[in-house]
Amino acid sequence: MSRYSVFRLFREGLRNQTGWTRAWRDPDPKPAYDVIIIGGGGHGLASAYYLAREHGITNVAVLERGQIGLGNVGRNTTIVRSNYLFPENNLFYEKSLQLWEGLEQDLNFNVMMSQRGVINLYHSDSQRDAYARRGNSMRLNGIDAELLDREQVRALVPVLDFDNARFPIQGGLIQRRGGTARHDAVAWGLARGADRLGVDIIQNCEVTGIRREGDRVVGVETTRGYIAAPKIGIAVAGHTTQVASMAGVRIPIESHLLQAFVSEAVKPVLDHVVTFGAGHFYISQSDKGGLVFGGGLDGYNSFAQRGTLPEAEHVINEGVALMPLLSRLRVLRQWAGVMDMTFDGTPLICKTPVRGLYVNGGWCYGGFKAVPGSGWCFAHTVAKDEPHALNAAMTIERFRDGGMIDEKGAGPFPWLH
Amino acid sequence: MLRIDCPWCGTRDEAEFKYGGDATAKRPPAEGDGAAFYEFVYDRGNPKGWHQEWWHHVAGCRQWLKVVRHTVTHEIRSVAKATDDVTVPPA
Amino acid sequence: MSAPDRLSPFGPEAKPGRHGAAGGTPVLMTERKVDIVQVMAGRDANAKAANLVKDATGLALPGPRKVEIAGDAMAIWIQPSGWLVIRPRGEEGALAKKLGGSDDIAVVDQGHGRCVLRLTGAHAGEVLAKGSRVDLHPRVFPPGSVATTSIDHITVMIVKLDAVPSFDLVLPSNFAEAFLDWLRMSAAEFGYEIRPAA
Ligand SMILES: Cc1cc2nc3c(=O)[nH]c(=O)nc-3n(C[C@H](O)[C@H](O)[C@H](O)COP(=O)(O)OP(=O)(O)OC[C@H]3O[C@@H](n4cnc5c(N)ncnc54)[C@H](O)[C@@H]3O)c2cc1C
Ligand SMILES: [Zn+2]
């Protein structure tokens, strides 16, 4: 496992790229580990990485049912930001954004982190006030935010339809440090980084049961045999309720579909990430030139990993209302991921009623930006058997105790968040 | 695209309906304790398989319907009136 | 003294005349001047509602997906225990008053809330089919059928009147103008004629 560098690239160029080796090992599972992380998506890999790096716990296995990078971590629209209203969220996501800012150096891997700025548009006076409030809340917590008027937005993103009859653009809230990162590169970089610190990344290993002795966990049944561990962390995104129920733990999450779309490549037209305030729609342009966009959920419980046409039509309608030039482009690719939707739109990073069993899930639409922060907090929670201050509110008990963190104010309906 | 066979209107596209979530959640009596309400509001089976769910035929007869649908294949096994009891196939 | 003529919910653009492709058989569009009353029966009150409507209008109340037509009056099934009674416009509010209602039967005047557009001509079905998810083929949607659906995001009741085919479209008045926009676009390739309201 050698370091990647410009010199390395140059040398390999001279010898026909023959000197590259695999980026992480492909070990067989050992009979026992100190910690097992179930799920090799962004969150599972980051958790293992920070367990090793921050807490010196390296006897760790990440068990992945399929292959690294094929879950939501490789299916999202790659938006990274920390522009939340509530401090329980914005402080956590800000920690994550700060980790993103140093991640490439930490991992010695190019995740194509691009802080191009995220602009949330507003289309009415009340929406402007809501964004002003959100921006103030962010600044109070030391996070960058700036309210732009219509002309300031126009200077940055001239291609939008500012005079849409129904939804004229009045301005936007920009977080300049927000942006995008290449999603599967993040998975590969974290897998390589964790592997180098001694973590076993075990692919094609599905967890089929969680073994308990009394009120604590002792190991997992898998398609590659039984593996023992006193601490088990669940980070399986859309399958959180399925895996938690293997240990008899019920979690307030429903699984729903979210689609993403990529257009044919065009010359640069969009330098920022832009979200439409009059619907649920967000768009950016990839380095290859494709416009990457998405919208809301398909709207009913699903594990199908494929989107349906009515929502695709709806998303594209929104896109055309915001950015009329989209109507002239072809959609090249479309896909969907299974989202772990909580009842208040905020995630869970916490202990469970079963000792030694921890949950990291409920990421809804927004878990990609959380990857390093969530891994960092989950590693802390697992290592110390207690949450860090940043994730102390992200518990299962908050639903019972009235501590919901409902940014959208949508109420206890997972498909509306 | 789901095609939902409304017992009142006939088979219609999902675009005419609004989703209403898990149809097995039962509201406890008003004097029920906190735990019962917690279950009613937050505790869902979220099955990977057959799911009983509410759909409202908003752009049709405006009736609430109870649909049995598979959450992986999206196959719809039955559509019943809100007051009907339905049977759910084994996983 | 008579009330002034109502403004058409279809807006100023709905001027009588021939539009779209020339030649062929145009689709005819006519705003119908009607009274519309909604009748909703409470639990176990369907028979009572049927008697009420029969006495007041001579119309029988139809079952699901059906319309009862007698001359230029009709009763449309809209949902379980719910119907619309429609007939040529008379004195404002008179039909609702005549129907009355009771503790278990709600009668609501919809004469301003909804409106009716008649669409007739050989291509009328094709015009609707472009925006409708309902199968309008005569085999499954014969005269006397009704379907509530949405076209261009607007809820519309499609009543099939005869084999021409002719349809009465019952629309929310506040979306009538937007609906007509869509309808004109859809009908342009066949040619269409807007007739004076009747
Ligand atoms: C279309 C789309 C767009 C999105 N856009 C954004 C965005 O712009 N910004 C943002 O911040 N977030 C976005 N998200 C959300 C983000 O992608 C997810 O919240 C996040 O990736 C979920 O965490 P993960 O990476 O760990 O999930 P995953 O990559 O899905 O990892 C979970 C893994 O668990 C494995 N697993 C499941 N069951 C088992 C088992 N029994 N045994 C072993 N392994 C198992 C799965 O195979 C999977 O690989 C988007 C998501 C989607 C689908
Ligand atoms: Zn119906």
Side-chain angles (χ1 to χ4, degrees), chain B residues 8 61 63, chain C residues 40-41 46 77-83:
Chain B
W8 298 106
C61 60
Q63 304 300 295
Chain C
M40 302 284 292
N46 283 0
W77 179 90
I78 55 172
Q79 62 186 162
S81 304
W83 298 267

PDB file of all heavy atoms in Angstrom, chain B residues 8 61 63, chain C residues 40-41 46 77-83:
ATOM      1  N   TRP B   8     -63.885   1.655  -5.859  1.00  0.00           N
ATOM      2  CA  TRP B   8     -64.983   2.528  -6.290  1.00  0.00           C
ATOM      3  C   TRP B   8     -64.825   2.960  -7.744  1.00  0.00           C
ATOM      4  O   TRP B   8     -65.786   2.974  -8.496  1.00  0.00           O
ATOM      5  CB  TRP B   8     -65.047   3.785  -5.404  1.00  0.00           C
ATOM      6  CG  TRP B   8     -65.319   3.457  -3.980  1.00  0.00           C
ATOM      7  CD1 TRP B   8     -64.441   3.491  -2.938  1.00  0.00           C
ATOM      8  CD2 TRP B   8     -66.554   3.010  -3.429  1.00  0.00           C
ATOM      9  NE1 TRP B   8     -65.050   3.097  -1.781  1.00  0.00           N
ATOM     10  CE2 TRP B   8     -66.347   2.802  -2.043  1.00  0.00           C
ATOM     11  CE3 TRP B   8     -67.826   2.759  -3.965  1.00  0.00           C
ATOM     12  CZ2 TRP B   8     -67.360   2.360  -1.198  1.00  0.00           C
ATOM     13  CZ3 TRP B   8     -68.830   2.327  -3.112  1.00  0.00           C
ATOM     14  CH2 TRP B   8     -68.593   2.127  -1.759  1.00  0.00           C
ATOM     15  N   CYS B  61     -62.421   9.400  -6.124  1.00  0.00           N
ATOM     16  CA  CYS B  61     -63.591   9.348  -5.249  1.00  0.00           C
ATOM     17  C   CYS B  61     -63.322   9.920  -3.863  1.00  0.00           C
ATOM     18  O   CYS B  61     -64.205   9.971  -3.031  1.00  0.00           O
ATOM     19  CB  CYS B  61     -64.065   7.909  -5.122  1.00  0.00           C
ATOM     20  SG  CYS B  61     -62.789   6.844  -4.420  1.00  0.00           S
ATOM     21  N   GLN B  63     -61.831   8.656  -1.375  1.00  0.00           N
ATOM     22  CA  GLN B  63     -61.928   7.694  -0.279  1.00  0.00           C
ATOM     23  C   GLN B  63     -60.530   7.214   0.123  1.00  0.00           C
ATOM     24  O   GLN B  63     -59.625   7.145  -0.714  1.00  0.00           O
ATOM     25  CB  GLN B  63     -62.753   6.464  -0.704  1.00  0.00           C
ATOM     26  CG  GLN B  63     -64.133   6.817  -1.203  1.00  0.00           C
ATOM     27  CD  GLN B  63     -64.958   7.530  -0.153  1.00  0.00           C
ATOM     28  OE1 GLN B  63     -65.288   6.979   0.884  1.00  0.00           O
ATOM     29  NE2 GLN B  63     -65.277   8.791  -0.411  1.00  0.00           N
TER      30      GLN B  63
ATOM     31  N   MET C  40     -75.024  14.845  -0.553  1.00  0.00           N
ATOM     32  CA  MET C  40     -74.244  13.853   0.183  1.00  0.00           C
ATOM     33  C   MET C  40     -75.147  13.202   1.217  1.00  0.00           C
ATOM     34  O   MET C  40     -75.758  13.893   2.032  1.00  0.00           O
ATOM     35  CB  MET C  40     -73.083  14.518   0.935  1.00  0.00           C
ATOM     36  CG  MET C  40     -72.122  15.302   0.053  1.00  0.00           C
ATOM     37  SD  MET C  40     -71.016  14.240  -0.884  1.00  0.00           S
ATOM     38  CE  MET C  40     -70.010  13.561   0.423  1.00  0.00           C
ATOM     39  N   ALA C  41     -75.196  11.870   1.173  1.00  0.00           N
ATOM     40  CA  ALA C  41     -76.055  11.159   2.123  1.00  0.00           C
ATOM     41  C   ALA C  41     -75.228  10.649   3.294  1.00  0.00           C
ATOM     42  O   ALA C  41     -74.118  10.156   3.110  1.00  0.00           O
ATOM     43  CB  ALA C  41     -76.744   9.993   1.427  1.00  0.00           C
ATOM     44  N   ASN C  46     -78.861   6.626   1.866  1.00  0.00           N
ATOM     45  CA  ASN C  46     -78.848   6.656   0.401  1.00  0.00           C
ATOM     46  C   ASN C  46     -80.257   6.633  -0.200  1.00  0.00           C
ATOM     47  O   ASN C  46     -80.561   7.378  -1.128  1.00  0.00           O
ATOM     48  CB  ASN C  46     -78.051   5.477  -0.165  1.00  0.00           C
ATOM     49  CG  ASN C  46     -76.547   5.708  -0.058  1.00  0.00           C
ATOM     50  OD1 ASN C  46     -76.115   6.754   0.442  1.00  0.00           O
ATOM     51  ND2 ASN C  46     -75.770   4.749  -0.507  1.00  0.00           N
ATOM     52  N   TRP C  77     -72.762  10.190 -10.250  1.00  0.00           N
ATOM     53  CA  TRP C  77     -72.132   9.613  -9.050  1.00  0.00           C
ATOM     54  C   TRP C  77     -70.735  10.189  -8.924  1.00  0.00           C
ATOM     55  O   TRP C  77     -69.972  10.183  -9.889  1.00  0.00           O
ATOM     56  CB  TRP C  77     -72.059   8.089  -9.201  1.00  0.00           C
ATOM     57  CG  TRP C  77     -71.399   7.410  -8.028  1.00  0.00           C
ATOM     58  CD1 TRP C  77     -72.007   6.942  -6.910  1.00  0.00           C
ATOM     59  CD2 TRP C  77     -70.000   7.115  -7.870  1.00  0.00           C
ATOM     60  NE1 TRP C  77     -71.087   6.381  -6.052  1.00  0.00           N
ATOM     61  CE2 TRP C  77     -69.842   6.485  -6.618  1.00  0.00           C
ATOM     62  CE3 TRP C  77     -68.858   7.335  -8.654  1.00  0.00           C
ATOM     63  CZ2 TRP C  77     -68.606   6.055  -6.129  1.00  0.00           C
ATOM     64  CZ3 TRP C  77     -67.613   6.924  -8.172  1.00  0.00           C
ATOM     65  CH2 TRP C  77     -67.504   6.287  -6.927  1.00  0.00           C
ATOM     66  N   ILE C  78     -70.394  10.720  -7.735  1.00  0.00           N
ATOM     67  CA  ILE C  78     -69.033  11.249  -7.582  1.00  0.00           C
ATOM     68  C   ILE C  78     -68.223  10.475  -6.557  1.00  0.00           C
ATOM     69  O   ILE C  78     -66.995  10.445  -6.626  1.00  0.00           O
ATOM     70  CB  ILE C  78     -69.012  12.757  -7.235  1.00  0.00           C
ATOM     71  CG1 ILE C  78     -69.842  13.066  -5.984  1.00  0.00           C
ATOM     72  CG2 ILE C  78     -69.510  13.578  -8.410  1.00  0.00           C
ATOM     73  CD1 ILE C  78     -69.685  14.509  -5.520  1.00  0.00           C
ATOM     74  N   GLN C  79     -68.870   9.867  -5.589  1.00  0.00           N
ATOM     75  CA  GLN C  79     -68.169   9.088  -4.573  1.00  0.00           C
ATOM     76  C   GLN C  79     -69.237   8.330  -3.793  1.00  0.00           C
ATOM     77  O   GLN C  79     -70.430   8.596  -3.990  1.00  0.00           O
ATOM     78  CB  GLN C  79     -67.356   9.980  -3.644  1.00  0.00           C
ATOM     79  CG  GLN C  79     -68.193  10.954  -2.857  1.00  0.00           C
ATOM     80  CD  GLN C  79     -67.362  11.943  -2.047  1.00  0.00           C
ATOM     81  OE1 GLN C  79     -67.873  12.947  -1.646  1.00  0.00           O
ATOM     82  NE2 GLN C  79     -66.095  11.658  -1.818  1.00  0.00           N
ATOM     83  N   PRO C  80     -68.860   7.388  -2.929  1.00  0.00           N
ATOM     84  CA  PRO C  80     -69.876   6.668  -2.175  1.00  0.00           C
ATOM     85  C   PRO C  80     -70.787   7.662  -1.450  1.00  0.00           C
ATOM     86  O   PRO C  80     -70.304   8.566  -0.778  1.00  0.00           O
ATOM     87  CB  PRO C  80     -69.052   5.837  -1.177  1.00  0.00           C
ATOM     88  CG  PRO C  80     -67.695   5.736  -1.786  1.00  0.00           C
ATOM     89  CD  PRO C  80     -67.504   6.949  -2.620  1.00  0.00           C
ATOM     90  N   SER C  81     -72.079   7.527  -1.667  1.00  0.00           N
ATOM     91  CA  SER C  81     -73.082   8.402  -1.049  1.00  0.00           C
ATOM     92  C   SER C  81     -72.930   9.864  -1.453  1.00  0.00           C
ATOM     93  O   SER C  81     -73.286  10.758  -0.697  1.00  0.00           O
ATOM     94  CB  SER C  81     -73.057   8.294   0.483  1.00  0.00           C
ATOM     95  OG  SER C  81     -73.244   6.955   0.860  1.00  0.00           O
ATOM     96  N   GLY C  82     -72.379  10.111  -2.632  1.00  0.00           N
ATOM     97  CA  GLY C  82     -72.224  11.492  -3.078  1.00  0.00           C
ATOM     98  C   GLY C  82     -72.563  11.637  -4.555  1.00  0.00           C
ATOM     99  O   GLY C  82     -72.157  10.806  -5.374  1.00  0.00           O
ATOM    100  N   TRP C  83     -73.336  12.665  -4.906  1.00  0.00           N
ATOM    101  CA  TRP C  83     -73.751  12.876  -6.296  1.00  0.00           C
ATOM    102  C   TRP C  83     -73.750  14.364  -6.629  1.00  0.00           C
ATOM    103  O   TRP C  83     -73.837  15.203  -5.725  1.00  0.00           O
ATOM    104  CB  TRP C  83     -75.185  12.362  -6.516  1.00  0.00           C
ATOM    105  CG  TRP C  83     -75.355  10.901  -6.291  1.00  0.00           C
ATOM    106  CD1 TRP C  83     -75.271   9.922  -7.232  1.00  0.00           C
ATOM    107  CD2 TRP C  83     -75.643  10.239  -5.045  1.00  0.00           C
ATOM    108  NE1 TRP C  83     -75.474   8.684  -6.644  1.00  0.00           N
ATOM    109  CE2 TRP C  83     -75.705   8.849  -5.312  1.00  0.00           C
ATOM    110  CE3 TRP C  83     -75.828  10.673  -3.727  1.00  0.00           C
ATOM    111  CZ2 TRP C  83     -75.957   7.900  -4.314  1.00  0.00           C
ATOM    112  CZ3 TRP C  83     -76.074   9.733  -2.734  1.00  0.00           C
ATOM    113  CH2 TRP C  83     -76.134   8.362  -3.039  1.00  0.00           C
TER     114      TRP C  83
END
